[in-house]
Amino acid sequence: MTVTTPALAGALRAIVGAEQLREGGAPVDGVTPRWTAAPPTVEQAAALVAFAHDERLVVLPRGSGAGLELGYPPARVDLVLETGRLDAVLEYSPEDLTATVQVGCRAGALATRLAVHRQILPLDPPGWSVRTLGGITATQASGPLRQRYGTMRDLLLGVRFVQADGVLTWGGAKVVKSVSGYDVPKLMVGALGTLGVLVELTLRLHPAPEYEATWLANFHTPAHAQECVAALLDSTVQTSRLEVLDGRVLAACSLPVSAAALAISIGTVEPAVRSQEALVKALVQRARGAVQTMGASFWRTYDRALAGFDGVVLRIGTLPTRLVETLGAVQAMLPGAAVAGAAGLGALRALVTHADPSALVAPVERLRGTVAEVNGGVIVERAPRALRERLDPWGAVPAPTLAVMRAIKTEFDPRGVLNPGRFVGGI
Ligand SMILES: Cc1cc2nc3c(=O)[nH]c(=O)nc-3n(C[C@H](O)[C@H](O)[C@H](O)COP(=O)(O)OP(=O)(O)OC[C@H]3O[C@@H](n4cnc5c(N)ncnc54)[C@H](O)[C@@H]3O)c2cc1C
């Protein structure tokens, strides 16, 4: 028997209360949801998903909404599940360097709590302070600190999530030592909410560095910047951030423009920073770069410049030894694009402005061809729907790998309730 829309709405309202459920809501990729709910408790979130499962409604979790243009556009959205009211820091144990938070907690709010004990969660994707920790987890978002601390996959110890059938489950642990069995937290990171609605995260924290210094090194050519990256990686210098910025990103940060620059920071105790500073400067000069010391506000300016960009964002995975080829390929195939990212890891971003984004299909495919030479890839992190309808936002995945991923999705979400059709291969 088909349940009428008013009856569905009535049942949803009975779960979360009338004030937490509204008809419609902010469109996702131009698709207006039938309802938007903001459950104040994890149990209500679970009950909403259980109901959606029974009624075969499509559920789309939403944090701050900055990453909703990642993946294939949704064909249908029945229920947007906003996580904003699930924003508590449930447990914080400074002596164990762990915290358990609800997913709607903003990274900036957690940072404020941790600062009291001089601790950090070292995750800084563009605009990080207002992003939710659930969204950062689901999209595997990262920023400059990835150079030293890795990504959420390295920091997530445990995860509580709502299964597609509404059952609340735990994966991982609340302690730093690992538990036996499959590593469920790692599976959830970057899964774009296709395997479960994340509700709580237990995170591994780090001490804030006692002292940090940042330098900007400008180079006449990307080849000189790459030479310097290789020398830094091959040295005893322990960088906490090592970003490459092309001329356009330098201009967006209101910095003196050169063909390429490296932003290098070291964070540890002051004597250790001072002793490595001389080596950093020597390696920059050997690569014929000009180095200047930057103030503490540099990384905020850089973050604002990237987060404020209003065009197509491509996530490029390549090798640190291929910076020259990758910057060259972006410039040749996407004239006018800006490039920045983790030079020491080859995790770059291209920021592309184009009057007709759908004209970017062929250039992005050509760029994929270039980075595929080293098994790299290009993900369309953000683009208008028109482009992602014509271009696979994830790029090709080998058929056997995709078959495993499909099997995992079917096991976790046989009815296709959770963010269906948006992930790799249309999962
Ligand atoms: C201009 C710009 C530049 C960017 N540059 C970068 C970059 O350089 N590096 C980078 O890594 N990212 C980048 N991003 C992406 C963005 O920073 C991240 O995707 C963002 O941190 C996600 O957090 P959010 O709270 O906005 O999530 P949302 O946008 O609300 O959600 C993102 C996705 O996660 C799912 N989701 C959200 N919460 C949950 C949950 N609790 N359970 C399950 N699924 C959930 C949503 O359904 C959605 O598919 C950029 C974004 C913009 C707008």
Side-chain angles (χ1 to χ4, degrees):
M1 191 183 72
T2 312
V3 183
T4 61
T5 296
L8 290 173
L12 291 168
R13 227 175 274 122
I15 295 170
V16 274
E19 61 289 357
Q20 308 308 337
L21 185 85
R22 53 187 200 276
E23 306 275 333
V28 179
D29 266 336
V31 179
T32 302
R34 291 170 78 186
W35 302 280
T36 298
T41 71
V42 162
E43 289 70 27
Q44 284 164 315
L48 285 172
V49 176
F51 180 77
H53 181 260
D54 290 347
E55 298 300 333
R56 295 180 184 266
L57 302 177
V58 166
V59 176
L60 188 145
R62 180 190 172 100
S64 84
L68 293 176
E69 287 185 24
L70 172 63
Y72 289 101
R76 199 181 108 200
V77 182
D78 295 315
L79 179 65
V80 165
L81 201 159
E82 287 181 347
T83 61
R85 299 201 64 199
L86 300 171
D87 64 348
V89 176
L90 300 172
E91 271 178 55
Y92 172 31
S93 173
E95 52 290 353
D96 294 328
L97 285 156
T98 60
T100 297
V101 300
Q102 290 185 317
V103 283
C105 179
R106 309 267 166 163
L110 179 63
T112 305
R113 281 286 297 274
L114 304 182
V116 176
H117 293 277
R118 295 196 52 80
Q119 295 183 349
I120 54 169
L121 175 70
L123 282 170
D124 57 350
W128 63 273
S129 68
V130 294
R131 308 290 180 239
T132 64
L133 291 163
I136 289 175
T137 308
T139 58
Q140 163 80 331
S142 66
L145 287 170
R146 179 177 184 165
Q147 170 67 27
R148 171 163 168 190
Y149 299 97
T151 67
M152 189 57 111
R153 289 217 166 100
D154 305 287
L155 300 166
L156 186 64
L157 299 171
V159 59
R160 194 172 180 214
F161 60 99
V162 183
Q163 292 179 180
D165 61 2
V167 173
L168 272 166
T169 315
W170 255 109
K174 287 199 175 183
V175 292
V176 172
K177 72 177 163 48
S178 62
V179 291
S180 47
Y182 295 117
D183 195 333
V184 175
K186 279 201 170 59
L187 186 59
M188 290 292 166
V189 177
L192 207 70
T194 52
L195 303 179
V197 178
L198 314 177
V199 288
E200 291 172 18
L201 312 167
T202 297
L203 302 159
R204 170 188 206 151
L205 310 173
H206 285 262
E210 269 177 40
Y211 185 81
E212 188 174 43
T214 298
W215 303 274
L216 186 74
N218 287 84
F219 299 91
H220 295 300
T221 68
H224 288 108
Q226 177 158 337
E227 186 188 324
C228 186
V229 170
L232 284 164
L233 294 180
D234 194 35
S235 75
T236 53
V237 172
Q238 304 239 307
T239 53
S240 46
R241 305 180 244 213
L242 176 54
E243 292 279 297
V244 62
L245 293 74
D246 76 357
R248 289 190 173 81
V249 176
L250 286 167
C253 295
S254 306
L255 291 164
V257 172
S258 64
L262 295 177
I264 306 159
S265 68
I266 301 177
T268 171
V269 290
E270 186 170 356
V273 174
R274 292 281 162 236
S275 73
Q276 293 180 72
E277 178 174 7
L279 183 51
V280 169
K281 288 183 171 169
L283 294 177
V284 170
Q285 275 150 17
R286 199 182 301 164
R288 285 187 251 162
V291 69
Q292 57 178 310
T293 303
M294 305 304 287
S297 62
F298 170 80
W299 292 108
R300 284 197 295 279
T301 306
Y302 182 60
D303 179 71
R304 266 200 302 274
L306 295 187
F309 177 73
D310 188 26
V312 172
V313 181
L314 306 176
R315 198 187 281 194
I316 305 171
T318 183
L319 293 173
T321 47
R322 297 267 299 184
L323 293 182
V324 173
E325 287 87 347
T326 311
L327 288 172
V330 172
Q331 288 315 329
M333 293 161 195
L334 299 160
V339 181
L345 301 167
L348 306 179
R349 251 95 199 160
L351 314 174
V352 194
T353 313
H354 203 286
D356 175 15
S358 53
L360 298 175
V361 175
V364 172
E365 290 294 17
R366 280 203 297 279
L367 183 62
R368 280 187 169 146
T370 302
V371 296
E373 289 164 15
V374 289
N375 288 328
V378 176
I379 293 171
V380 180
E381 188 155 80
R382 178 178 190 232
R385 184 182 178 115
L387 177 58
R388 286 173 296 129
E389 279 172 345
R390 292 174 180 78
L391 173 75
D392 177 349
W394 301 102
V397 175
T401 314
L402 191 55
V404 172
M405 291 188 191
R406 279 195 204 290
I408 292 171
K409 171 69 175 175
T410 305
E411 187 59 34
F412 275 75
D413 181 17
R415 293 192 184 176
V417 170
L418 305 170
N419 258 346
R422 307 202 68 196
F423 198 43
V424 177
I427 288 173

